[in-house]
Amino acid sequence: MGNANETIFDKILAGAIPCHRVYEDDRVLAFLDVNPISFGHTLVIPKERAAYLHELSDESSAAIGRVLPRICRAVLQASGAKAYNLLQNNGSSAHQAVFHVHFHIIPRLADSGLGMEWTPTRLVPEIAAELLEKMRAALSALP
Ligand code: AMP
């Protein structure tokens, strides 16, 4: 991890390559995915260059949080879908291909190309306690 080089999304932001723009404000751009896995597949990105969500500033995070549900509503209305997934990949082993933070809005329709394997296990209390201790320490150490 730790790779904030220029990506194709910077070129879109700079207007050097075109996109099908859905929404834009000072901090956020949304556009149609050029290889949609379902009808209406839309990407929402911060204008700030950050490869991974955990690297994003509070300002950009807040700006995305403010408009994401609104853009989801527009995608639902335009696609006619009643259900959708939000997908946000971080790291190549998490299937991230473009190293600029982006949220996929993926309407679930008959044509949906999204497959998901979900294999739940049981949370062990001792492991939960250990995790909580580490996470709370990490959170309290943050600015
Ligand atoms: P990810 O695997 O989460 O990094 O997904 C990157 C997404 O960006 C893929 O769904 C691509 O189809 C999409 N994508 C790549 N280049 C473009 C582009 N020029 N315009 C729109 N979408 C793009």
Side-chain angles (χ1 to χ4, degrees):
M1 289 206 163
N3 175 2
N5 295 325
E6 189 180 58
T7 69
I8 193 153
F9 291 172
D10 289 294
K11 293 194 172 73
I12 289 175
L13 287 167
I17 64 168
C19 72
H20 297 278
R21 191 175 62 211
V22 173
Y23 172 86
E24 183 167 15
D25 64 30
D26 288 352
R27 293 186 185 272
V28 180
L29 177 69
F31 51 96
L32 298 181
D33 195 295
V34 76
N35 294 125
I37 62 169
S38 70
F39 179 63
H41 183 176
T42 298
L43 298 176
V44 183
I45 71 170
K47 292 189 172 179
E48 178 185 335
R49 187 186 294 173
Y52 310 113
L53 186 64
H54 59 270
E55 297 177 338
L56 198 60
S57 70
D58 286 354
E59 291 74 21
S60 290
S61 307
I64 287 190
R66 195 176 70 85
V67 297
L68 197 50
R70 204 185 298 171
I71 301 169
C72 289
R73 287 197 287 278
V75 171
L76 285 176
Q77 280 194 25
S79 67
K82 297 273 181 281
Y84 63 103
N85 291 97
L86 270 188
L87 187 63
Q88 206 281 310
N89 300 329
N90 296 278
S92 41
S93 54
H95 301 286
Q96 185 177 11
V98 177
F99 291 89
H100 183 120
V101 172
H102 53 280
F103 291 78
H104 297 259
I105 305 173
I106 304 169
R108 298 308 292 248
L109 293 153
D111 74 339
S112 175
L114 181 63
M116 238 190 274
E117 198 182 320
W118 193 280
T119 315
T121 63
R122 189 169 287 277
L123 183 61
V124 177
E126 294 74 25
I127 292 178
E130 195 183 324
L131 280 170
L132 288 182
E133 194 180 327
K134 287 180 181 167
M135 287 181 191
R136 287 171 181 162
L139 283 167
S140 62
L142 292 176

